[in-house]
Every structure is written in C-alpha cells, then in structure tokens.
Amino acid sequence: MSISFTTSIISRLKREIADLQKQSVNDKSKKEKAAAKIKQLQKSSKLSSSPSDLSSKMTQITKLTDEVARIDASQAALAKQLAAKNAELRQQLAKEQQKETKE
C-alpha cells in the first residue's frame, strides 16, 4: 500500500468516527428529551381525573419508554462501532508511521 492510500483510509476513518460521535450526541439528546417528557407525563398523570386522559398519558409513557430502550440499544451499537473504528484508526496510524520511518 502506498502512503496516499493509507492516508485516505485514515481520513475516511476519522470522518466515520466523527459521524458516529455526532449520531451518539444526537441520540443522547433525544433520550434526555424523552426522559423529561416521561417525567412530565408521570407528574401530570397523578393529577389527571379523567380515565381516558390517564389512559392516553400511560400510552404515551409506554411509547416513550420503548423509544428510550431503542435509543439505549442504538447507543450500545454505536459504542461498539466507535471502538472498532478507533482500533482500526490506531492500526492504520501505526502502519503509516512505520512506513514513514522506513523511508
């Protein structure tokens, strides 16, 4: 492999890592918003007097709880991908450094 090929791999990996980190931050934000909405719904459901209103709020809480669980699973997958990409990046950087020292 030429140095330019290794450099392009490194650039691609850095871009992919940045995208994964951005997605992780977005997911964390969505999770925080959903958790806040759940708390708000729980608080207002205690004050709710209408059975249909209470049922509606409980349905919303269930949906938001499912969304939080989905986001948690997504976060775990992203963490795994980030670890793999970082390991690959370190490997490519070591290769590049090794080639530079040979020249």
Side-chain angles (χ1 to χ4, degrees):
M1 272 191 268
S2 70
I3 291 179
S4 64
F5 183 70
T6 305
T7 304
S8 69
I9 291 173
I10 290 170
S11 296
R12 177 184 54 84
L13 286 169
K14 286 181 178 179
R15 261 192 328 274
E16 289 173 357
I17 288 169
D19 289 344
L20 288 171
Q21 288 172 333
K22 183 178 175 184
Q23 186 177 354
S24 179
V25 168
N26 288 340
D27 281 354
K28 284 179 186 175
S29 173
K30 287 179 186 177
K31 181 181 174 181
E32 289 170 2
K33 287 178 183 176
K37 183 71 174 171
I38 289 171
K39 282 186 180 182
Q40 177 190 0
L41 286 167
Q42 287 172 335
K43 185 183 270 188
S44 67
S45 69
K46 291 177 185 173
L47 305 173
S48 184
S49 58
S50 157
S52 64
D53 188 36
L54 183 60
S55 175
S56 172
K57 288 178 182 177
M58 294 306 289
T59 302
Q60 286 180 318
I61 289 171
T62 302
K63 286 181 182 178
L64 288 168
T65 303
D66 290 345
E67 183 178 344
V68 168
R70 182 194 57 77
I71 291 170
D72 283 338
S74 174
Q75 286 286 335
L78 285 173
K80 196 180 249 188
Q81 288 177 338
L82 271 171
K85 296 288 182 188
N86 279 319
E88 188 178 350
L89 178 61
R90 283 191 301 274
Q91 186 180 28
Q92 291 297 327
L93 288 170
K95 278 184 187 179
E96 183 180 50
Q97 188 176 24
Q98 195 175 38
K99 285 182 181 182
E100 287 176 357
T101 56
K102 284 184 181 178
E103 293 178 355

